Amino acid sequence: MATATESLSNGEGPVHEEQGDNLRPEDLSEMLAAGTKDVHEKAENTRFVKDFLRGRISRELFKLGAVALYYTYCAMEEEMERNKEHPHLAPLYFPAELHRHEPLARDLEFFYGGEWEGRIRRSPATRRYVERIRQVGREEPALLVAHAYTRYMGDLSGGQVLKKVAQRALKLPATGEGLEFYQFDAIHSAKAFKQLYRSRMNQLDLDAEAKKRVVEEAVEAFRFNMEVFEELEEIGKAMEEEEEEEEEEDEEDSESGMPVHGDAGGDVSKCPYYAAKMTATGGTTQACQLAAAVLAHPSGHFLVATCVALLAGLLAWYVM
């Protein structure tokens, strides 16, 4: 069993690095590491995570990811708080060091403004994840260990890499606004704290079957996270397709020779009055060129008729 020199009492004081870890295969921390290895690798290889690590993350997608995290941590930390006296949770109750829902709330306020709470919604994948956490908190609190391990240990490890990537890719302030989720001010050494946390897990009074259940729940927690990643990936694809369609429309308008005019967004077919006005003010050559372009448009005949009617109105007004 691991021995430790601890000056931490669940939420108070600094964490000192543990010494003399002699881990065994039956230790819960080792079982979790081995049991989640495959699903952990799958999560890291989702397109969303790989794109994120390469700096290909849009501000909008990052904001939606923060929303999903906010709902997830609110649920997990409320259930941990409600069950903090449970013998399998009390040793892992570190609100000052670990709780993330308040930093996430500040991040969301940075991105969405003061009315952020009325502007965010739970996505379907996030809702399923939250519902599972609530169920576990009500029916089998010991399994919250799996959710806490999956989230907090990841935040203290790979999360620190994501923080740097996001700050660079999104050009966020060096002072940390928008990234408070990744900042653990009460933890002075992430390595030491992770050692302490694993040691506390290994000392939990769980039999072999209970440990197996915790590992299975941790695998499920990774799967819930992957569902959120896949959902964000689909949203990202939809955003990309929308941008591509807009670019193609702009290119088509440019190739057709149609000039930009006010709120018509560059598509003169939306403002036939412009063609009529050009003719009425002596722009004959330009009007002819424009007429040819309009006739080439699928709705050209209708537009020409509209232009003629408008022109007739203008000429009538001029004669008067």
Side-chain angles (χ1 to χ4, degrees):
M1 184 62 64
T3 59
T5 303
E6 302 175 14
S7 67
L8 179 69
S9 180
N10 290 22
E12 299 177 359
V15 179
H16 293 298
E17 190 165 344
E18 302 210 4
Q19 299 174 353
D21 274 329
N22 297 306
L23 298 174
R24 302 167 300 178
E26 62 270 27
D27 285 339
L28 182 57
S29 66
E30 293 299 285
M31 292 177 66
L32 281 165
T36 62
K37 184 176 183 294
D38 290 343
V39 71
H40 192 168
E41 289 178 357
K42 287 179 181 177
E44 289 179 341
N45 282 291
T46 58
R47 180 185 167 185
F48 174 77
V49 173
K50 289 198 290 186
D51 283 351
F52 195 151
L53 288 169
R54 291 168 184 157
R56 296 205 292 262
I57 179 75
S58 71
R59 191 181 185 90
E60 194 60 34
L61 217 54
F62 184 80
K63 287 162 59 177
L64 292 175
V67 170
L69 289 171
Y70 174 74
Y71 284 115
T72 300
Y73 279 92
C74 280
M76 185 172 72
E77 288 165 3
E78 285 171 10
E79 293 302 324
M80 291 286 288
E81 182 71 26
R82 196 164 59 82
N83 291 284
K84 63 184 178 182
E85 303 299 331
H86 191 284
H88 296 144
L89 296 177
L92 302 176
Y93 181 68
F94 294 102
E97 289 78 13
L98 292 177
H99 281 194
R100 299 288 87 200
H101 71 276
E102 289 182 0
L104 278 163
R106 292 192 291 272
D107 287 343
L108 292 176
E109 183 174 5
F110 171 80
F111 285 115
Y112 288 97
E115 303 297 321
W116 64 273
E117 289 178 283
R119 299 178 61 190
I120 64 171
R121 296 287 184 276
R122 283 191 307 178
S123 68
T126 304
R127 187 187 68 252
R128 290 190 291 273
Y129 193 180
V130 166
E131 286 173 353
R132 177 56 184 171
I133 291 171
R134 297 292 191 193
Q135 180 186 4
V136 163
R138 289 191 308 269
E139 300 175 4
E140 200 170 353
L143 297 185
L144 288 172
V145 173
H147 291 277
Y149 164 84
T150 302
R151 288 293 348 158
Y152 291 130
M153 294 300 99
D155 299 335
L156 287 167
S157 301
Q160 301 309 300
V161 176
L162 294 178
K163 174 186 176 182
K164 294 177 182 177
V165 173
Q167 192 165 43
R168 224 174 19 245
L170 303 179
K171 297 180 173 59
L172 294 172
T175 46
E177 288 93 333
L179 293 168
E180 290 192 43
F181 165 70
Y182 299 101
Q183 185 64 39
F184 292 82
D185 293 329
I187 295 178
H188 305 292
S189 167
K191 179 181 178 182
F193 188 89
K194 286 187 290 184
Q195 279 189 300
L196 170 64
Y197 199 87
R198 292 187 183 106
S199 176
R200 292 279 186 94
M201 285 197 304
N202 293 339
Q203 293 174 34
L204 296 177
D205 186 17
L206 296 169
D207 59 26
E209 181 59 29
K211 289 179 183 178
K212 181 183 175 184
R213 291 277 296 121
V214 171
V215 173
E216 290 171 348
E217 187 66 22
V219 171
E220 287 303 305
F222 271 106
R223 287 177 179 155
F224 281 118
N225 277 282
M226 282 194 289
E227 285 184 15
V228 173
F229 295 156
E230 289 163 2
E231 188 178 63
L232 290 169
E233 182 181 321
E234 290 304 311
I235 293 171
K237 285 179 184 177
M239 287 179 178
E240 289 174 5
E241 289 172 3
E242 186 176 343
E243 288 174 2
E244 288 173 2
E245 287 176 3
E246 289 176 356
E247 289 174 2
E248 288 175 3
E249 288 175 3
D250 290 343
E251 288 176 5
E252 288 174 2
D253 290 345
S254 176
E255 290 172 2
S256 70
M258 292 184 176
V260 175
H261 177 60
D263 294 335
D267 187 354
V268 76
S269 66
K270 297 177 183 177
C271 189
Y273 170 78
Y274 182 68
K277 186 176 179 181
M278 285 177 65
T279 304
T281 55
T284 308
T285 303
Q286 293 94 330
C288 289
Q289 292 174 345
L290 183 60
V294 170
L295 284 170
H297 197 276
S299 56
H301 296 291
F302 171 76
L303 293 171
V304 169
T306 305
C307 291
V308 170
L310 288 168
L311 177 57
L314 281 170
L315 291 175
W317 173 81
Y318 181 76
V319 170
M320 289 173 63

